[in-house]
Amino acid sequence: ALHIAENNQVPSIAFPAISSGIFGVNKDLVAVAMTDTILNYQFRSLAPVLSSIRIVIIDQPTFSAFAKHFSLRKSEMEERRTVGAGLTHGASPHPHPHPPGITY
């Protein structure tokens, strides 16, 4: 869906936390899969068209799972950026140190 949106020049997209409710898929598993996919997409894109990617969450347990995983990924990305900056003589290892559309 992210690539389709980009190919069609769509600036924003929203996804529900699919299957984390009535279908009973583990909320942590859904959070890991969705946030990793979104962050990896944004991190690898040199010129992302998507400026806003939203995850629609309707309950506190699902929100908690996503918040926990985003926090972990944020720490990993900041650590990677700090280590990468030293390796590249102060330049960011990626053109988007904080991927656009992702609010921390």
Side-chain angles (χ1 to χ4, degrees):
L2 295 170
H3 294 290
I4 291 169
E6 184 170 336
N7 289 339
N8 287 294
Q9 301 293 306
V10 175
S12 66
I13 193 166
F15 296 102
I18 297 172
S19 297
S20 65
I22 195 168
F23 293 108
V25 175
N26 181 287
K27 293 174 186 319
D28 286 317
L29 180 64
V30 173
V32 167
M34 289 184 72
T35 56
D36 283 357
T37 299
I38 291 167
L39 291 172
N40 287 336
Y41 169 80
Q42 288 283 26
F43 192 74
R44 290 183 180 146
S45 184
L46 295 177
V49 172
L50 285 165
S51 60
S52 175
I53 300 173
R54 296 177 184 205
I55 301 170
V56 180
I57 299 171
I58 62 169
D59 63 21
Q60 186 59 46
T62 305
F63 176 80
S64 295
F66 275 83
K68 177 178 73 175
H69 189 62
F70 263 118
S71 178
L72 290 172
R73 283 302 306 267
K74 177 185 173 194
S75 296
E76 290 171 6
M77 291 175 77
E78 287 174 347
E79 183 176 312
R80 187 180 325 157
R81 183 177 58 228
T82 301
V83 170
L87 295 174
T88 58
H89 305 288
S92 173
H94 189 272
H96 304 295
H98 284 288
I102 304 295
T103 303
Y104 297 113

